[in-house]
């Protein structure tokens, strides 16, 4: 049964033989979009 | 695969140990991609490599598999091993025809990975020399000093400098907003070099830095795929390396404020801190995601979530004959369960928020915004007002497009996932 199911798991990058295609490791960091003056309004003190 | 044609283990295969929380020892295989652009990485049970090595370019497939069986007495029978070779090792390029170009791996991932837009901006030939020259910052003494400095800076800023101050972000002028965007971008570049430098410190290569769009965020990214070959502890240091280097930008902002007393530097400090907090969100594919994946050894964390759902469906529909398709150890399975449940709630929350912000707020207010902006420009078309209108229009367009893309992509992914889950349910019903 697993064969039938797992052979459809191509998008999961893991095949029925437990071989895993590793995800590309992109380390992201977001930056201010120009909307940074409105995203939050912290006040000090 | 025709069984008569001799096959050979790919001569360009680079094999190393793979550190994960899988239930059995794993190896990491790196194969050059077809066409020569980059590599594809596979993690596979270590005993498959012994099978692959039986392909010497002389024996046919039957003989190679029989030789493996004779030497290793595997649990699996010959027909299963033949399928393993023909349906997985050969298509992936781990075993190839003796006369085949070994640069043959094809990836099932999109070139853009999980980004809407992905543009390399700093090549690895530029990133690596810089990263290597800074790698001394990952010596233990330097990192401890950095941690102490990070804590001390925050005590000074939030405990002393921030007290008694009153900041209204809405009162910032266009010049201040542009300056904050510049500060944010410079801090993010520091962040990316932090990842690249940590990877270089541990001997990784081919780190590229680029720009992209992820969900509704414009992001910078560093490709540190080579870090897969590292032990999990080192991969985790690569994950937090971005924040470590971003703290140098925080330090520069603090010095800037102390030297000039200009509050824009304190604004900058807060923005960078907000972005640091955001980057640890484990449900977005940012540093927190990779940190959870590496600390708990759950490879392809996002993909494993679906396997968790498949297991759950099978367990509900067929509790007695259920065999888990996940190969993770019990602890990692528990972490995955918590992550999946919280992640699903998070996605639901994000979609609801996006609907409220985009549909109920931005879209419904668009006619009024367009009217007010046009009236303002018609009566007072100064550069400042034009730039402000462009910025205000720009973020609205970005939010609408980003939300549209996100709804579309999440909808598509959900549709595909439900299709696969339905097939699981059907297979379970047929097997019952």
């Amino acid at each position: 049964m697993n064969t039938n199911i797992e052979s459809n798991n191509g998008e999961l990058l893991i095949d029925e033989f437990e071989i895993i295609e590793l995800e590309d490791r992109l380390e992201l960091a977001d930056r201010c979009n120009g909307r940074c003056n409105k995203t939050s309004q912290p006040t000090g003190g | 695969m025709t069984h008569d044609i001799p096959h050979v283990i790919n001569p360009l295969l680079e094999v190393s140990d793979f550190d994960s929380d899988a239930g059995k020892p794993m190896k990491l295989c790196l194969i050059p991609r077809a066409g020569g652009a980059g590599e594809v990485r596979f993690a596979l049970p270590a005993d498959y490599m012994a099978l692959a090595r039986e392909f010497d370019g002389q024996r046919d497939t039957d003989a190679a598999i029989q030789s493996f069986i004779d030497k290793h007495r595997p649990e699996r029978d010959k027909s299963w091993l033949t399928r393993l070779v023909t349906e997985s090792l050969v298509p992936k390029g781990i075993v190839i025809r003796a006369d085949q170009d070994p640069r043959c791996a094809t990836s099932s991932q999109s070139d853009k990975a999980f980004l809407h837009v992905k543009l390399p901006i700093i090549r690895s030939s530029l990133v690596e020399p810089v990263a290597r020259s800074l790698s001394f910052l990952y010596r233990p003494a330097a990192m401890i000093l950095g941690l102490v400095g990070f804590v001390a800076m925050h005590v000074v800023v939030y405990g002393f400098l921030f007290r008694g101050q009153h900041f209204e972000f809405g009162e910032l002028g266009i010049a201040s907003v542009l300056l904050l965007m510049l500060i944010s971008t410079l801090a993010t570049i520091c962040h990316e070099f932090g990842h690249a430098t940590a990877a270089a410190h541990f001997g990784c290569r081919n780190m590229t830095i680029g720009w992209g769009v992820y969900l509704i965020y414009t992001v910078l990214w560093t490709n540190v795929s080579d870090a897969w070959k590292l032990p999990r502890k080192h991969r985790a240091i690569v994950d937090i390396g971005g924040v470590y280097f971003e703290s140098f930008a925080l330090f520069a902002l603090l010095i800037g404020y102390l030297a000039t007393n200009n509050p824009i530097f304190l604004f900058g400090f807060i923005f960078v801190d907000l972005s640091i907090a955001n980057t640890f969100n484990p449900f977005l594919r940012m540093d927190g995601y990779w940190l959870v994946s590496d600390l708990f050894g759950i490879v392809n964390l996002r993909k494993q979530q679906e396997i968790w759902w498949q297991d759950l469906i099978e367990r509900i529909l067929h509790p007695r004959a259920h065999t888990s398709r996940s190969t993770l150890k019990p602890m990692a399975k528990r972490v995955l369960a918590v992550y999946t449940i919280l992640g699903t709630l998070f996605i639901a929350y994000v979609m609801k928020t996006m609907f409220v912000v985009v549909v109920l707020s931005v879209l419904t207010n668009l006619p009024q915004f367009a009217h007010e902006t046009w009236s303002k420009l018609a009566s007072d078309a100064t550069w400042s007002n034009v730039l402000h209108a462009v910025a205000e229009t720009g973020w609205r367009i970005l939010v609408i497009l980003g939300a549209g893309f996100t709804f579309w992509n999440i909808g598509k992914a959900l549709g595909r996932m439900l299709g696969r889950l339905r097939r699981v349910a059907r297979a379970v019903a047929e097997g019952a």
Side-chain angles (χ1 to χ4, degrees):
Chain A
M1 183 177 62
N2 277 357
T3 304
N4 294 333
I5 298 161
E6 288 165 356
S7 59
N8 291 319
N9 276 351
E11 280 185 63
L12 297 183
L13 309 178
I14 301 170
D15 72 11
E16 64 166 296
F17 305 101
E18 300 172 29
I19 298 182
I20 304 168
E21 183 186 336
L22 297 172
E23 291 181 304
D24 286 341
R25 285 182 77 98
L26 299 184
E27 300 269 10
L28 308 184
D30 66 326
R31 44 183 294 286
C32 174
N33 280 333
R35 179 63 182 161
C36 47
N37 60 329
K38 300 279 175 65
T39 48
S40 54
Q41 301 195 344
T43 52
Chain B
M1 181 168 87
T2 309
H3 286 215
D4 318 330
I5 300 173
H7 280 67
V8 62
I9 184 169
N10 191 324
L12 296 182
L13 197 67
E14 288 181 31
V15 182
S16 55
D17 289 336
F18 184 61
D19 188 359
S20 75
D21 204 15
K24 57 179 87 170
M26 302 286 281
K27 291 283 184 186
L28 172 66
C29 287
L30 185 145
I31 308 172
R33 210 179 270 254
E39 299 101 0
V40 182
R41 291 168 179 80
F42 297 106
L44 67 168
D47 51 355
Y48 292 1
M49 291 314 301
L51 172 61
R53 286 193 194 93
E54 293 296 333
F55 289 84
D56 57 3
Q58 307 291 324
R59 285 188 288 232
D60 65 18
T61 302
D62 278 346
I65 292 173
Q66 190 57 53
S67 172
F68 172 74
I69 291 171
D70 294 342
K71 286 181 191 167
H72 298 278
R73 304 283 167 203
E75 288 175 11
R76 301 289 191 172
D77 62 22
K78 191 168 182 179
S79 66
W80 191 92
L81 292 169
T82 304
R83 281 204 315 111
L84 164 64
V85 172
T86 57
E87 294 176 19
S88 192
L89 297 183
V90 169
K92 287 180 169 61
I94 295 168
V95 171
I96 60 171
R97 284 194 326 271
D99 60 351
Q100 187 181 344
D101 183 351
R103 293 175 188 79
C104 58
T106 53
S107 173
S108 48
Q109 298 176 74
S110 158
D111 288 343
K112 290 188 282 192
F114 41 84
L115 303 178
H116 297 312
V117 179
K118 180 174 171 240
L119 297 173
I121 51 174
I122 311 178
R123 289 174 301 179
S124 60
S125 57
L126 288 173
V127 173
E128 284 178 32
V130 175
R132 275 197 296 273
S133 69
L134 295 173
S135 71
F136 69 93
L137 290 165
Y138 282 90
R139 290 179 189 154
M143 289 190 73
I144 291 169
L145 198 62
L147 180 64
V148 172
F150 186 85
V151 173
M153 267 190 302
H154 284 79
V155 170
V156 168
V157 169
Y158 294 106
F160 300 98
L161 301 182
F162 213 50
R163 294 180 73 174
Q165 297 265 15
H166 180 75
F167 292 117
E168 276 296 338
F169 282 64
E171 291 173 3
L172 287 177
I174 187 75
S176 299
V177 172
L178 290 174
L179 184 57
L180 280 175
M181 287 172 70
L182 180 66
I183 288 171
S184 167
T185 302
L186 292 175
T188 309
I189 291 171
C190 284
H191 182 110
E192 297 308 335
F193 270 100
H195 292 304
T197 304
H201 178 72
F202 294 119
C204 297
R205 52 197 161 90
N206 295 334
M207 287 84 70
T208 307
I209 292 178
W211 178 88
V213 177
Y214 172 60
L215 302 177
I216 57 169
Y217 299 103
T218 58
V219 294
L220 293 183
W221 50 263
T222 307
N223 190 333
V224 288
S225 295
D226 205 31
W228 278 121
K229 70 183 181 187
L230 302 176
R232 278 193 269 160
K233 187 175 73 177
H234 290 172
R235 297 205 302 256
I237 291 175
V238 173
D239 298 336
I240 60 169
V243 170
Y244 175 42
F245 265 41
E246 209 165 351
S247 67
F248 300 149
L250 287 176
F251 183 68
L253 289 168
L254 177 58
I255 296 295
Y257 176 72
L258 293 175
T260 65
N261 218 26
N262 185 339
I264 195 70
F265 290 108
L266 273 190
F267 276 112
F269 195 100
I270 298 160
F271 278 131
V272 174
D273 255 359
L274 287 173
S275 110
I276 286 174
N278 195 37
T279 206
F280 280 118
N281 182 337
F283 304 115
L284 300 174
R285 264 204 181 84
M286 295 185 148
D287 297 355
Y289 170 84
W290 296 109
L291 204 53
V292 170
S293 170
D294 292 330
L295 288 178
F296 296 101
I298 306 171
V299 177
N300 293 7
L301 182 56
R302 187 59 56 84
K303 309 289 179 185
Q304 298 272 6
Q305 288 183 290
E306 188 173 328
I307 292 177
W308 185 87
W309 281 114
Q310 291 185 357
D311 267 338
L312 184 69
I313 284 184
E314 197 173 325
R315 187 174 296 168
I316 291 168
L317 295 178
H318 211 217
R320 288 182 190 164
H322 169 71
T323 52
S324 173
R325 68 195 64 250
S326 171
T327 56
L328 297 171
K329 288 179 184 167
M331 174 63 183
K333 277 184 188 169
R334 282 195 285 274
V335 171
L336 181 63
V338 172
Y339 178 84
T340 303
I341 292 165
L342 293 179
T344 305
L345 293 173
F346 176 75
I347 292 290
Y349 170 75
V350 166
M351 291 190 76
K352 182 205 153 226
T353 306
M354 219 178 268
F355 182 80
V356 169
V357 169
V358 176
V359 179
L360 298 186
S361 174
V362 176
L363 279 179
T364 52
N365 288 331
L366 213 50
Q368 188 189 349
F369 163 75
H371 176 73
E372 285 175 1
T373 304
W374 181 252
S375 304
K376 193 172 182 183
L377 289 179
S379 62
D380 188 17
T382 60
W383 275 110
S384 168
N385 283 346
V386 170
L387 281 174
H388 191 256
V390 167
E392 288 288 317
T393 308
W395 80 255
R396 281 173 170 82
I397 290 172
L398 200 72
V399 163
I400 292 167
L401 287 179
F405 266 129
T406 305
F407 278 127
W408 173 249
N409 284 329
I410 289 178
K412 265 199 315 184
L414 272 177
R416 285 196 299 259
M417 190 180 107
L418 289 174
R420 286 191 291 267
L421 291 178
R422 209 175 57 218
R423 282 196 290 273
V424 170
R426 198 183 304 142
V428 170
E430 285 168 5

